[in-house]
Amino acid sequence: VAKGAGKGQWRRYQSELHGAMVERLELRSALEHSVKEGQFILQYQPIVDLATDDTAGFEALVRWDHPTRGIITPDQFIEVAEESGLIVPIGRWVLDEALRTVAQWRRLLPRSRAPYVSVNVSVRQFRAPGFVDHVRTALQHAGVPPQALMLEITETLLMGDEERIWAELSALQEMGVRVAIDDFGTGYSSLGYLRQRPIDVLKIDKTFVDDMVDNSQQAALVSGIISLAQTLNLTVVAEGIETATHRDMLLRLGCPLGQGFLFSTPVGATEALHWLTGPAAVAA
Ligand code: C2E
Ligand code: MG
Ligand code: MG
Ligand code: MG
């Protein structure tokens, strides 16, 4: 509170703070309840080959299916889930469910069109004991090859540059699971640290895609990320492609893959399968 602020202003501040705390506690206990009740669902957004329009895989995105409030998106609960540690059981469920779904898709599709699923993993979840083991057993239970799974981590996880994290990422990569850095470019990181690291994919954050059309500096940055990725033998996925202009520009810059509302919003598992089979096959 600003120096010299009146008593009334301080009280108002305190009561707002109190209100926010109560809200957080309520959210936390509701979240705890929903973990027990299993009130989560996954939606899937296609990751598209920008040159051919083929679907390479899907990103799994969690939603809280609240009995009275309806569908709640992750921006409204992931932070509290992280703080409370509830992200660990939620994240386990997400991984299991995403793998069950990709197993089903792969059973129904020819091998040449078998998609992968990309799963977001939060820092707390990754750092929780037994994460890598859980990935291994979840793959076995689902009966899918590790190539059917990609894990999306954030730059924050790598910031400490701890050897344990790199070792676990290496273990995942040796297993055959691919690792992507999500929201690439938004975090505080130098590009050099990616050299010879167990990373397969960079996902360019949608803020760059948004801005590159009217801002030549942003466009140069995107171009730089793509050529860096090529040098390091990494794949690039651009996020938040909303217009044909976005797509065309990314293609020109050499970006192979992308996702965004231009192609599809996140959809349910059945609708996602329709994406892979095409409308004719679905109608049959
Ligand atoms: P993210 O992983 O970067 O996911 C991309 C977000 O952008 C998704 O929001 C997606 O619906 C949205 N999006 C996709 N295409 C477009 C587009 O063309 N335009 C715009 N404006 N938005 C687009 P969503 O589903 O609300 O998820 C938000 C964030 O929540 C995710 O960002 C991810 O960080 C986190 N999240 C989602 N699911 C999970 C999960 O299962 N576990 C964890 N730990 N985090 C998750
Ligand atoms: Mg993601
Ligand atoms: Mg992202
Ligand atoms: Mg994001």
PDB file of all heavy atoms in Angstrom, residues 30 33-34 39 64-72:
ATOM      1  N   ALA A  30     -12.477 -27.273  -3.666  1.00  0.00           N
ATOM      2  CA  ALA A  30     -13.330 -27.779  -4.751  1.00  0.00           C
ATOM      3  C   ALA A  30     -12.505 -28.659  -5.703  1.00  0.00           C
ATOM      4  O   ALA A  30     -12.966 -29.692  -6.187  1.00  0.00           O
ATOM      5  CB  ALA A  30     -13.947 -26.620  -5.516  1.00  0.00           C
ATOM      6  N   HIS A  33     -11.842 -32.020  -4.156  1.00  0.00           N
ATOM      7  CA  HIS A  33     -13.047 -32.834  -4.292  1.00  0.00           C
ATOM      8  C   HIS A  33     -13.143 -33.405  -5.710  1.00  0.00           C
ATOM      9  O   HIS A  33     -13.432 -34.584  -5.902  1.00  0.00           O
ATOM     10  CB  HIS A  33     -14.260 -31.964  -3.970  1.00  0.00           C
ATOM     11  CG  HIS A  33     -15.558 -32.677  -4.092  1.00  0.00           C
ATOM     12  ND1 HIS A  33     -15.977 -33.632  -3.185  1.00  0.00           N
ATOM     13  CD2 HIS A  33     -16.535 -32.604  -5.031  1.00  0.00           C
ATOM     14  CE1 HIS A  33     -17.157 -34.098  -3.567  1.00  0.00           C
ATOM     15  NE2 HIS A  33     -17.510 -33.501  -4.682  1.00  0.00           N
ATOM     16  N   SER A  34     -12.874 -32.558  -6.700  1.00  0.00           N
ATOM     17  CA  SER A  34     -13.037 -32.995  -8.085  1.00  0.00           C
ATOM     18  C   SER A  34     -11.994 -34.041  -8.483  1.00  0.00           C
ATOM     19  O   SER A  34     -12.235 -34.850  -9.376  1.00  0.00           O
ATOM     20  CB  SER A  34     -12.988 -31.803  -9.027  1.00  0.00           C
ATOM     21  OG  SER A  34     -11.667 -31.335  -9.116  1.00  0.00           O
ATOM     22  N   GLN A  39     -13.572 -35.371 -11.979  1.00  0.00           N
ATOM     23  CA  GLN A  39     -14.342 -34.434 -12.810  1.00  0.00           C
ATOM     24  C   GLN A  39     -13.507 -33.760 -13.896  1.00  0.00           C
ATOM     25  O   GLN A  39     -13.714 -32.594 -14.192  1.00  0.00           O
ATOM     26  CB  GLN A  39     -14.969 -33.347 -11.925  1.00  0.00           C
ATOM     27  CG  GLN A  39     -16.039 -33.858 -11.010  1.00  0.00           C
ATOM     28  CD  GLN A  39     -16.470 -32.809  -9.990  1.00  0.00           C
ATOM     29  OE1 GLN A  39     -15.896 -31.725  -9.928  1.00  0.00           O
ATOM     30  NE2 GLN A  39     -17.474 -33.139  -9.208  1.00  0.00           N
ATOM     31  N   TRP A  64     -11.702 -28.888 -16.539  1.00  0.00           N
ATOM     32  CA  TRP A  64     -12.406 -29.292 -15.324  1.00  0.00           C
ATOM     33  C   TRP A  64     -13.894 -29.254 -15.652  1.00  0.00           C
ATOM     34  O   TRP A  64     -14.433 -28.180 -15.931  1.00  0.00           O
ATOM     35  CB  TRP A  64     -12.049 -28.323 -14.206  1.00  0.00           C
ATOM     36  CG  TRP A  64     -12.684 -28.583 -12.889  1.00  0.00           C
ATOM     37  CD1 TRP A  64     -13.533 -29.587 -12.539  1.00  0.00           C
ATOM     38  CD2 TRP A  64     -12.510 -27.788 -11.711  1.00  0.00           C
ATOM     39  NE1 TRP A  64     -13.884 -29.482 -11.232  1.00  0.00           N
ATOM     40  CE2 TRP A  64     -13.276 -28.381 -10.698  1.00  0.00           C
ATOM     41  CE3 TRP A  64     -11.770 -26.636 -11.428  1.00  0.00           C
ATOM     42  CZ2 TRP A  64     -13.339 -27.852  -9.412  1.00  0.00           C
ATOM     43  CZ3 TRP A  64     -11.830 -26.117 -10.155  1.00  0.00           C
ATOM     44  CH2 TRP A  64     -12.602 -26.722  -9.159  1.00  0.00           C
ATOM     45  N   ASP A  65     -14.511 -30.406 -15.615  1.00  0.00           N
ATOM     46  CA  ASP A  65     -15.939 -30.512 -15.951  1.00  0.00           C
ATOM     47  C   ASP A  65     -16.730 -30.400 -14.648  1.00  0.00           C
ATOM     48  O   ASP A  65     -17.096 -31.394 -14.045  1.00  0.00           O
ATOM     49  CB  ASP A  65     -16.193 -31.850 -16.666  1.00  0.00           C
ATOM     50  CG  ASP A  65     -17.589 -31.908 -17.262  1.00  0.00           C
ATOM     51  OD1 ASP A  65     -18.304 -30.885 -17.216  1.00  0.00           O
ATOM     52  OD2 ASP A  65     -17.959 -32.984 -17.761  1.00  0.00           O
ATOM     53  N   HIS A  66     -16.994 -29.160 -14.261  1.00  0.00           N
ATOM     54  CA  HIS A  66     -17.627 -28.900 -12.976  1.00  0.00           C
ATOM     55  C   HIS A  66     -19.137 -29.146 -13.060  1.00  0.00           C
ATOM     56  O   HIS A  66     -19.782 -28.701 -14.005  1.00  0.00           O
ATOM     57  CB  HIS A  66     -17.347 -27.446 -12.576  1.00  0.00           C
ATOM     58  CG  HIS A  66     -17.675 -27.140 -11.152  1.00  0.00           C
ATOM     59  ND1 HIS A  66     -18.956 -26.884 -10.729  1.00  0.00           N
ATOM     60  CD2 HIS A  66     -16.885 -27.066 -10.053  1.00  0.00           C
ATOM     61  CE1 HIS A  66     -18.932 -26.651  -9.436  1.00  0.00           C
ATOM     62  NE2 HIS A  66     -17.686 -26.764  -8.997  1.00  0.00           N
ATOM     63  N   PRO A  67     -19.710 -29.869 -12.060  1.00  0.00           N
ATOM     64  CA  PRO A  67     -21.128 -30.251 -12.144  1.00  0.00           C
ATOM     65  C   PRO A  67     -22.088 -29.060 -12.239  1.00  0.00           C
ATOM     66  O   PRO A  67     -23.132 -29.169 -12.868  1.00  0.00           O
ATOM     67  CB  PRO A  67     -21.373 -31.059 -10.867  1.00  0.00           C
ATOM     68  CG  PRO A  67     -20.199 -30.807  -9.986  1.00  0.00           C
ATOM     69  CD  PRO A  67     -19.054 -30.461 -10.878  1.00  0.00           C
ATOM     70  N   THR A  68     -21.757 -27.926 -11.614  1.00  0.00           N
ATOM     71  CA  THR A  68     -22.679 -26.784 -11.715  1.00  0.00           C
ATOM     72  C   THR A  68     -22.112 -25.634 -12.549  1.00  0.00           C
ATOM     73  O   THR A  68     -22.849 -24.915 -13.196  1.00  0.00           O
ATOM     74  CB  THR A  68     -23.058 -26.231 -10.315  1.00  0.00           C
ATOM     75  OG1 THR A  68     -21.850 -25.908  -9.606  1.00  0.00           O
ATOM     76  CG2 THR A  68     -23.840 -27.267  -9.516  1.00  0.00           C
ATOM     77  N   ARG A  69     -20.801 -25.472 -12.539  1.00  0.00           N
ATOM     78  CA  ARG A  69     -20.224 -24.324 -13.251  1.00  0.00           C
ATOM     79  C   ARG A  69     -19.852 -24.639 -14.691  1.00  0.00           C
ATOM     80  O   ARG A  69     -19.441 -23.751 -15.433  1.00  0.00           O
ATOM     81  CB  ARG A  69     -18.990 -23.817 -12.518  1.00  0.00           C
ATOM     82  CG  ARG A  69     -19.367 -23.049 -11.260  1.00  0.00           C
ATOM     83  CD  ARG A  69     -18.175 -22.308 -10.720  1.00  0.00           C
ATOM     84  NE  ARG A  69     -17.943 -22.628  -9.329  1.00  0.00           N
ATOM     85  CZ  ARG A  69     -16.853 -22.247  -8.662  1.00  0.00           C
ATOM     86  NH1 ARG A  69     -15.900 -21.588  -9.261  1.00  0.00           N
ATOM     87  NH2 ARG A  69     -16.730 -22.557  -7.391  1.00  0.00           N
ATOM     88  N   GLY A  70     -19.968 -25.909 -15.077  1.00  0.00           N
ATOM     89  CA  GLY A  70     -19.657 -26.266 -16.466  1.00  0.00           C
ATOM     90  C   GLY A  70     -18.164 -26.422 -16.690  1.00  0.00           C
ATOM     91  O   GLY A  70     -17.400 -26.636 -15.758  1.00  0.00           O
ATOM     92  N   ILE A  71     -17.772 -26.298 -17.941  1.00  0.00           N
ATOM     93  CA  ILE A  71     -16.375 -26.530 -18.321  1.00  0.00           C
ATOM     94  C   ILE A  71     -15.482 -25.365 -17.878  1.00  0.00           C
ATOM     95  O   ILE A  71     -15.740 -24.219 -18.226  1.00  0.00           O
ATOM     96  CB  ILE A  71     -16.257 -26.700 -19.858  1.00  0.00           C
ATOM     97  CG1 ILE A  71     -17.108 -27.881 -20.343  1.00  0.00           C
ATOM     98  CG2 ILE A  71     -14.796 -26.855 -20.279  1.00  0.00           C
ATOM     99  CD1 ILE A  71     -16.601 -29.240 -19.965  1.00  0.00           C
ATOM    100  N   ILE A  72     -14.464 -25.682 -17.105  1.00  0.00           N
ATOM    101  CA  ILE A  72     -13.524 -24.665 -16.634  1.00  0.00           C
ATOM    102  C   ILE A  72     -12.161 -24.924 -17.280  1.00  0.00           C
ATOM    103  O   ILE A  72     -11.637 -26.041 -17.229  1.00  0.00           O
ATOM    104  CB  ILE A  72     -13.411 -24.705 -15.095  1.00  0.00           C
ATOM    105  CG1 ILE A  72     -14.803 -24.519 -14.460  1.00  0.00           C
ATOM    106  CG2 ILE A  72     -12.430 -23.656 -14.588  1.00  0.00           C
ATOM    107  CD1 ILE A  72     -14.853 -24.698 -12.961  1.00  0.00           C
TER     108      ILE A  72
END
